[in-house]
Amino acid sequence: MTEEIDFILESTEESMNGTIAHLEKEFLNIRAGKASPAMLGGVFVDYYGSSTPLSQVSKISVPDARTITLQPFEKNMLSVIEKAILVANIGFNPMNNGDVIIISVPPLTEERRRDLAKQAKAEAEDAKIGIRNSRKDANTDIKKLEKEGTSEDICKSAEEEVQNLTNAYIKKIDELLAAKEAEIMKV
């Protein structure tokens, strides 16, 4: 019977790790002052009829803290990439010089920093909901085992273990959020 509980605990922890990984990925998309190729992670280009990530049709480089340059692998993709960046609505105004696309990353205003901090908080809250849902699923599975005859003591300790995992992951989310907010608010 404890094998089943070990499985529930492992799958819960795996699910919670997935939630943290997703949160970290979402935080990468929230820009904080300096230029990064990750800022363009959500941009997709129509490449011969299929939606393709920008990084697969051009070389993305960051020559300095305020500039991103895109060197398309095919010259005819320049205008398509430029349009995709504008359509993505990420607050950038790309400039096409015929060879490369240059994006100047504007410094963040205080208001924009607050908006980005709110966005980070919302992402963290979504992650916490994901963690709590994992806890709920695990506790439901443990209750089923209890009804099937697993001893009450074993089930209680398993529920405590799930709660300890939940607390640890919620704390980790709070730490990630604090770090991201500090990064966003740093001028």
Side-chain angles (χ1 to χ4, degrees):
M1 286 298 185
T2 55
E3 243 177 62
E4 291 159 331
I5 287 181
D6 287 344
F7 176 75
I8 291 169
L9 292 174
E10 283 174 24
S11 61
T12 301
E13 190 166 6
E14 195 175 303
S15 169
M16 290 179 178
N17 275 328
T19 302
I20 295 288
H22 178 74
L23 176 66
E24 288 171 337
K25 187 173 166 233
E26 290 300 316
F27 276 177
L28 280 179
N29 292 335
I30 299 174
R31 74 181 183 101
K34 62 181 196 204
S36 156
M39 292 177 175
L40 300 172
V43 179
F44 287 83
V45 178
D46 181 31
Y47 185 67
Y48 298 110
S50 67
S51 184
T52 309
L54 185 59
S55 60
Q56 292 181 12
V57 295
S58 68
K59 178 180 172 246
I60 303 172
S61 57
V62 182
D64 61 60
R66 295 263 174 248
T67 312
I68 300 173
T69 59
L70 298 148
Q71 174 94 48
F73 298 136
E74 298 175 27
K75 270 263 203 271
N76 64 341
M77 293 299 293
L78 276 168
S79 61
V80 177
I81 290 172
E82 194 175 6
K83 191 186 296 179
I85 292 169
L86 289 170
V87 168
N89 196 18
I90 49 179
F92 294 143
N93 192 9
M95 293 176 290
N96 178 349
N97 72 3
D99 288 326
V100 294
I101 294 174
I102 301 166
I103 299 171
S104 291
V105 179
L108 295 172
T109 63
E110 188 64 29
E111 183 182 343
R112 184 68 179 135
R113 286 179 194 280
R114 284 196 193 101
D115 288 346
L116 291 173
K118 280 182 194 169
Q119 186 182 345
K121 275 186 182 146
E123 292 295 344
E125 199 50 48
D126 287 347
K128 286 180 181 181
I129 290 168
I131 296 291
R132 291 184 195 117
N133 285 339
S134 297
R135 174 185 62 191
K136 188 182 105 194
D137 294 343
N139 285 339
T140 302
D141 292 344
I142 291 169
K143 293 265 188 257
K144 280 184 194 164
L145 286 178
E146 193 174 351
K147 285 181 182 168
E148 291 170 6
T150 305
S151 83
E152 196 175 316
D153 290 345
I154 291 173
C155 290
K156 280 285 181 226
S157 68
E159 285 176 359
E160 286 172 18
E161 186 64 34
V162 168
Q163 186 58 47
N164 290 341
L165 275 174
T166 303
N167 294 344
Y169 280 93
I170 296 279
K171 184 175 183 238
K172 190 168 187 173
I173 289 171
D174 289 336
E175 290 167 0
L176 288 170
L177 175 62
K180 188 62 180 182
E181 281 181 328
E183 182 185 338
I184 290 169
M185 298 312 274
K186 188 175 82 179
V187 179

